[in-house]
Amino acid sequence: MSQYQEIDYQHPSKQDQIRFFGFTFLLMLGITLGYFLGIPRYYLGWFSFAIASFSVAGNDAVQTIGTFIESKKSVHWLQKILVFGGLLFLVHLLAWYLHGGEIHFHRLDSIPETTEFNLLQLLAPVILVVITRLRAPVSTTFLVLGLFGGRSIDQMLTKSFFGYGLAFLVAIVVWAILVKVDPHEYHEVHTPDPVSERRWSRLQWFSTMYLWVAWLFQDTANIAVFLPRQLGFFEFLMAVLILIFALLIIIRTNGGTIQQVVSEKSDIQWAKAATIVDLVYGSLLFFFQAISNIPMSTTWAFLGLLAGREIILNVITYKDLPYLDTFRKVGKDVVLATIGILVSIFIFFLSYFLYPEQRQSTPLEFWNSTNQEDSL
């Protein structure tokens, strides 16, 4: 067995954690020094973009290629990076060509381009790296775009919470029908036959590519917000190469520590289950893209989908298992994601008070809009 196969990236050792947090501290120190030394906005933005490419993609990889990683651990990493890296390049090249140098798919249209970054905006990707390492499925939209979003943040919250609820209901309906059609397929001890698994395994490549494109349309904005809105050709090439390199690291580490969010879910290691999850989730993302250009937390939509699926499968098929275990799995994801929102809101308020010259909404307006969403 190779050294790569022996490494358990989901459960890093104490020495790995020390190295990781030491490197993270150096990143924060470097950004802070660069900010106070007056390094031009353009270069600071590219540096934070590079970190965001890893942190945003690393956190959100669990909801895009996470099911693929879980069921395709035997596939060589080179095949994965060629397919998904190549698709990333083609999708962004098309966006760059059609949208006059923009690669955010109109997700930043409601967010004005900042003339000068503040320190919290630059540090947000590093904070996200730390939270991801702690296995929390944080909304990158809230944590990163929330600091740039101004008055659109209440709309981002509305769309994100609606996304969770809709994904939850869709999952219940879809998997309730699937269980009724073929109850043996979802039995606790069911193992698919090799022929069927190979057929679904081929289909899974296409379903994951479909989901990957849908996610790029939604969440590239969370990374591109650090760059100029219009990119020259060489700037575009540099941006895409950085994104592909970040994707390579994620694939090589099998999703990292946050992959456990997917790993503990029912039967997701089988190709058929992963394929259906990807198709349903990808379709939901395309739907949300069609209804408005307002950015949303795709993390909350994904957690809603997994929660609805996990609950309905246990209610219908796993009647011998304690319901408390199911709700514990689902509740843990929601609690961690909620903590991420609270951290994002705290950073938003902190940015408001530290940088009054960049205010675009008041804390009272933001708080009232948040309370309105909670009451729905």
Side-chain angles (χ1 to χ4, degrees), residues 48-58 125 223 239 242-244 246-247 250:
S48 287
F49 169 82
I51 301 173
S53 298
F54 175 78
S55 61
V56 172
I223 309 172
I242 291 173
L243 288 170
I244 292 176
L247 177 63
I250 293 163

Side-chain angles (χ1 to χ4, degrees), residues 39 79 282 284 287 306 375:
I39 293 179
Q79 293 178 256
L284 282 170
F287 169 76
L306 288 186
S375 64

Side-chain angles (χ1 to χ4, degrees), residues 6-25:
E6 292 173 352
I7 299 176
D8 185 0
Y9 291 103
Q10 290 189 29
H11 305 89
S13 65
K14 183 178 179 179
Q15 290 76 14
D16 291 333
Q17 295 286 52
I18 292 174
R19 284 193 294 267
F20 171 81
F21 286 107
F23 180 70
T24 302
F25 174 77

Side-chain angles (χ1 to χ4, degrees), residues 185-187 190 265-274 309-310 313 318:
E185 180 75 24
Y186 294 92
H187 193 274
H190 171 74
K265 298 301 185 292
S266 301
D267 77 341
I268 211 72
Q269 75 274 17
W270 303 121
K272 180 178 180 180
R309 180 182 183 274
E310 194 73 11
L313 288 182
Y318 302 159

Side-chain angles (χ1 to χ4, degrees), residues 99-112:
H99 301 153
E102 296 181 347
I103 61 170
H104 56 79
F105 305 99
H106 296 296
R107 286 297 175 270
L108 298 179
D109 289 351
S110 62
I111 300 176

